Amino acid sequence: MLLAHLRTGLTALATISMAWVPLVAGAQEPTWRHAISVLEEPKLPRDFKALPYVNVDAPKGGELRLSAEGTFDSFNPLIDRGSPALGTTLVFETLLKTSENEVLASYGLLAEAVAVPDDMSSASFRLRPEAKWADGQPVTPEDVIFSFDAAKQHSTQLASYYRHVTAAEKTGDREVTFRFDEKNNRELPAIVGDFPVLPKHWWEGKDARGQQRDISRTTLEPLMGSGAYKIGAVQPGSTIRYERRDDYWGKDLPINVGQHNFATISYTYFADPDVEFEAFRAGTVDYYQESSSSRWATRYAFDAVKDGRVVREALPNQFRATGVMQAMVPNMRRDIFKDERVREALNYAFDFEDLNKNLAYGGLKRVDSFFWGTELASSGLPQGRELEILEGIKDQVPPEVFNKPYTNPVGGDPQKVRDNFRQAIALMKEAGWELKGNRMVNTKTGQPMSFEILLNSPALERSVLPFVASLKKIGIDARIRTVDASQYINRIRSFDYDVIWSVWAQTMNPGNEQADYWGSQSVGRNGSRNYAGIADPAIDTLIGMITAAPNRDEQVAAVKAMDRVLLARHYVMPLFYTGETKIAYWNRLAHPQTLPEYGIGFPDIWWAKAKQ
């Protein structure tokens, strides 16, 4: 749940948070619970038999062949180094596991129960006695503590996410307790059940060459975990095969029934997205999640689709409880982007309507909120509690948040485009730039405006090229640079870019991760997701109100207020999304007729059909 890969033409880490509904009646002796929930009591009782959306009789066996763009050089899930391999969640487990039928409800996985005091100053987890590593040794509190400490020490993202967790301590033979530095934080008790637990004894041993293992380093050694799969064959940077373990300790747990059905799951990496798609068309890849609306509209007329061997589905499930901001992000660590009028001008140069018509066949929607598509998105003018919150920081926010709803510029026809260009040039002039001849130059230095748009996939270039052409018409020299996955990750982590294309995924319960996205403290911390370089006192105040919100109404009001300020400051140029997960798969795969409300359960609840 912490590190989610979104397939949108690029890989983006989406940190997902949870909040806590008090479930404990007594102040002295907290009650051990089988589950925790965010917005309401967990739907499933302690004695539930299986998740309601799985096929408990799903056949076991067969293979699942998947693809990925880029490369990989590490299986270590707890560090911010290298290019992480896909699929490691098949090998490593967490203390809790979410249900895709509920908005962020979690049930025990490695932990059989969780207990939290009334003031939420800590959270205790009782491990299952049957939980075992692949070598047969039990999962212990020491393993949990070792993994948590390593995560905080070697991952800047996880260190930020868990910054309010001061310690993990062994408090019983099978019990580990996390201590917090603040009380009544609704998020903390849940998110500490969400990091991958690794075997301490394995990492403290030596590899096949007699070398001491090091949790702080990347590695392609097949790591040992407690999960349903183990790492099988590996070709570094190219392919990985995961093999289901017949001796998996948790295969009969109710939270796992009907899942982990494939005997093997493999990933093949491609440098070119078109070659990757052709591999799917040829049948050497079984499943493809489409990120291109134009390809979805024009390139699925091949024979296997026509005769039903390839199935296509557009599913809204994942977006019912996920807000998305996809945007081009100017790096305010660069002087040319510090003035918000410059950033606003860039948005006027982006003609979404033309792009949507000519490249996406009308299949896209313009994003106009950092929580787009959810009840958390701001709209209209602020009212009620949201207005009160904004008035409390009135001297720190743009005046337009009170009198002008945020809207993106609208293009699509020559007159609108000309008007947008005029507005962009006017904003640039106010910011100290002027058009001389065919170049936009700084009035003080005489330097022309020039910057680079860094991408990690050639598939994105066709959507960015029209924007580059539009900028040229107002004298701005923008260039596209597409680099490989490893170089891209390193440059992103060190903020070595002018403009990037990025995605943030938001859950219905924003929390600690907001500080990593937009908080002042994350501006200078390499590896944070504050890609824009936001250091705004108003945003910091609103993040604090979100994480400390005493109830849902207060949280929603604070989130909408923050959304409104982020938009008014023009920190990003909002792009587009479809609001659906577009998938295609060969009919040798199958899934339950009714998928979970908030997900598609892939690959956990899918299976391979028996060969005819």
Side-chain angles (χ1 to χ4, degrees):
M1 184 170 64
L2 277 174
L3 304 178
H5 291 281
L6 291 181
R7 189 87 183 267
T8 56
L10 73 164
T11 300
L13 296 179
T15 303
I16 298 179
S17 72
M18 299 174 64
W20 176 257
V21 174
L23 298 173
V24 181
Q28 300 301 319
E29 294 295 333
T31 303
W32 289 97
R33 302 294 299 255
H34 72 292
I36 56 177
S37 184
V38 179
L39 304 177
E40 57 188 2
E41 286 283 331
K43 293 181 178 179
L44 302 179
R46 183 180 297 272
D47 61 350
F48 77 96
K49 304 302 181 185
L51 293 171
Y53 49 80
V54 304
N55 174 9
V56 297
D57 298 317
K60 304 289 186 181
E63 63 178 345
L64 173 63
R65 299 170 300 176
L66 302 176
S67 63
E69 186 180 343
T71 188
F72 68 95
D73 61 12
S74 180
F75 290 123
N76 189 341
L78 293 181
I79 63 173
D80 289 343
R81 298 177 61 187
S83 300
L86 294 177
T88 57
T89 54
L90 300 168
V91 176
F92 305 112
E93 297 182 299
T94 52
L95 295 169
L96 304 175
K97 183 175 180 177
T98 58
S99 165
E100 289 188 293
N101 236 25
E102 303 173 59
V103 180
L104 300 177
S106 295
Y107 295 81
L109 182 55
L110 286 174
E112 64 181 4
V114 55
V116 179
D118 284 342
D119 64 0
M120 303 176 201
S121 59
S122 65
S124 298
F125 294 83
R126 190 171 65 212
L127 299 176
R128 296 183 188 273
E130 67 270 33
K132 299 288 193 300
W133 299 108
D135 64 1
Q137 293 199 37
V139 178
T140 66
E142 288 82 0
D143 295 318
V144 177
I145 295 167
F146 167 79
S147 302
F148 181 77
D149 289 346
K152 288 199 69 174
Q153 182 178 355
H154 303 300
S155 168
T156 57
Q157 286 189 344
L158 295 180
S160 173
Y161 194 62
Y162 292 117
R163 66 189 181 280
H164 292 300
V165 186
T166 58
E169 304 170 357
K170 182 176 180 179
T171 49
D173 288 343
R174 292 187 288 111
E175 183 180 313
V176 61
T177 297
F178 297 87
R179 310 289 183 187
F180 311 141
D181 66 4
E182 62 181 26
K183 298 179 180 179
N184 300 311
N185 185 321
R186 294 169 172 265
E187 181 182 39
L188 294 175
I191 65 172
V192 289
D194 193 32
F195 63 89
V197 179
L198 276 59
K200 181 174 186 269
H201 69 278
W202 190 88
W203 281 95
E204 291 180 342
K206 297 182 179 180
D207 62 21
R209 298 174 299 170
Q211 300 295 315
Q212 177 63 50
R213 298 186 178 104
D214 186 348
I215 191 67
S216 70
R217 301 176 63 87
T218 61
T219 179
L220 285 174
E221 180 184 6
L223 308 188
M224 185 179 73
S226 63
Y229 289 81
K230 63 181 179 180
I231 300 172
V234 178
Q235 292 185 359
S238 178
T239 62
I240 315 165
R241 188 179 75 244
Y242 297 94
E243 301 169 352
R244 194 180 62 227
R245 293 173 45 210
D246 292 333
D247 60 349
Y248 170 47
W249 72 272
K251 60 185 174 183
D252 296 323
L253 287 179
I255 195 68
N256 287 331
V257 168
Q259 302 182 59
H260 311 132
N261 300 314
F262 297 100
T264 63
I265 298 176
S266 62
Y267 288 87
T268 300
Y269 283 73
F270 295 85
D272 187 319
D274 287 327
V275 175
E276 179 185 4
F277 179 69
E278 289 305 315
F280 169 72
R281 279 174 44 113
T284 59
V285 171
D286 297 318
Y287 175 98
Y288 194 82
Q289 185 167 320
E290 185 57 77
S291 61
S292 168
S293 292
S294 62
R295 185 160 55 208
W296 185 254
T298 63
R299 296 188 61 184
Y300 283 82
F302 53 93
D303 289 344
V305 174
K306 294 177 180 178
D307 63 26
R309 287 177 294 147
V310 167
V311 181
R312 293 205 305 163
E313 296 182 275
L315 304 169
N317 305 47
Q318 289 178 302
F319 294 93
R320 290 173 180 154
T322 304
V324 172
M325 169 55 80
Q326 180 164 239
M328 275 187 278
V329 186
N331 184 0
M332 291 187 294
R333 301 169 185 84
R334 306 286 200 256
D335 288 340
I336 61 171
F337 299 124
K338 290 186 183 299
D339 194 308
E340 68 184 62
R341 291 167 295 190
V342 170
R343 304 192 298 270
E344 183 179 6
L346 297 179
N347 200 22
Y348 272 98
F350 179 66
D351 189 349
F352 164 74
E353 286 72 23
D354 183 72
L355 180 149
N356 192 30
K357 176 183 177 181
N358 295 319
L359 296 184
Y361 296 83
L364 299 172
K365 299 174 184 177
R366 188 79 191 269
V367 173
D368 59 2
S369 168
F370 284 79
F371 300 86
W372 183 73
T374 72
E375 67 169 340
L376 299 173
S378 61
S379 63
L381 294 176
Q383 299 179 352
R385 179 57 182 149
E386 180 190 355
L387 179 59
E388 292 176 0
I389 290 172
L390 289 167
E391 287 178 337
I393 52 174
K394 191 172 184 177
D395 60 335
Q396 297 179 331
V397 302
E400 54 264 34
V401 302
F402 298 99
N403 54 44
K404 184 181 178 181
Y406 178 84
T407 57
N408 287 302
V410 176
D413 66 56
Q415 184 58 53
K416 290 178 179 177
V417 170
R418 283 193 294 270
D419 290 344
N420 287 341
F421 283 166
R422 279 194 288 269
Q423 184 64 31
I425 292 171
L427 285 165
M428 293 295 296
K429 187 174 183 180
E430 292 177 15
W433 299 81
E434 63 179 351
L435 195 58
K436 287 188 176 182
N438 60 356
R439 296 198 305 174
M440 185 69 68
V441 299
N442 188 288
T443 56
K444 292 183 178 180
T445 67
Q447 292 297 312
M449 175 165 279
S450 177
F451 58 83
E452 178 182 275
I453 302 173
L454 183 68
L455 304 175
N456 74 336
S457 171
L460 300 179
E461 294 177 3
R462 65 193 304 272
S463 295
V464 179
L465 282 170
F467 178 56
V468 169
S470 292
L471 290 172
K472 186 175 182 179
K473 292 177 181 178
I474 58 173
I476 297 175
D477 174 33
R479 307 168 308 282
I480 295 174
R481 179 181 294 274
T482 303
V483 298
D484 62 44
S486 178
Q487 184 179 352
Y488 184 81
I489 290 172
N490 288 332
R491 289 187 63 176
I492 292 298
R493 287 173 177 163
S494 60
F495 307 121
D496 179 20
Y497 52 84
D498 297 331
V499 177
I500 61 170
W501 176 313
S502 189
V503 178
W504 292 271
Q506 298 278 5
T507 71
M508 297 296 285
N509 274 273
N512 283 350
E513 78 290 340
Q514 301 303 305
D516 191 59
Y517 294 171
W518 338 111
S520 299
Q521 64 179 354
S522 61
V523 170
R525 189 179 66 246
N526 285 0
S528 83
R529 295 201 65 202
N530 190 344
Y531 301 136
I534 299 170
D536 187 327
I539 296 298
D540 291 338
T541 297
L542 293 167
I543 291 172
M545 295 182 70
I546 292 168
T547 57
N551 55 59
R552 178 64 173 174
D553 289 343
E554 186 75 6
Q555 180 193 44
V556 171
V559 170
K560 288 185 175 182
M562 184 183 72
D563 183 39
R564 199 178 296 277
V565 176
L566 287 169
L567 292 167
R569 291 293 190 195
H570 303 285
Y571 289 124
V572 303
M573 291 165 277
L575 292 172
F576 41 76
Y577 230 79
T578 65
E580 295 178 318
T581 302
K582 295 180 172 66
I583 60 173
Y585 55 94
W586 287 81
N587 65 1
R588 49 185 170 262
L589 305 184
H591 63 68
Q593 183 174 358
T594 301
L595 289 170
E597 182 70 13
Y598 303 112
I600 62 174
F602 184 83
D604 289 355
I605 68 173
W606 291 50
W607 64 88
K609 292 180 180 178
K611 293 183 179 180
Q612 303 297 321

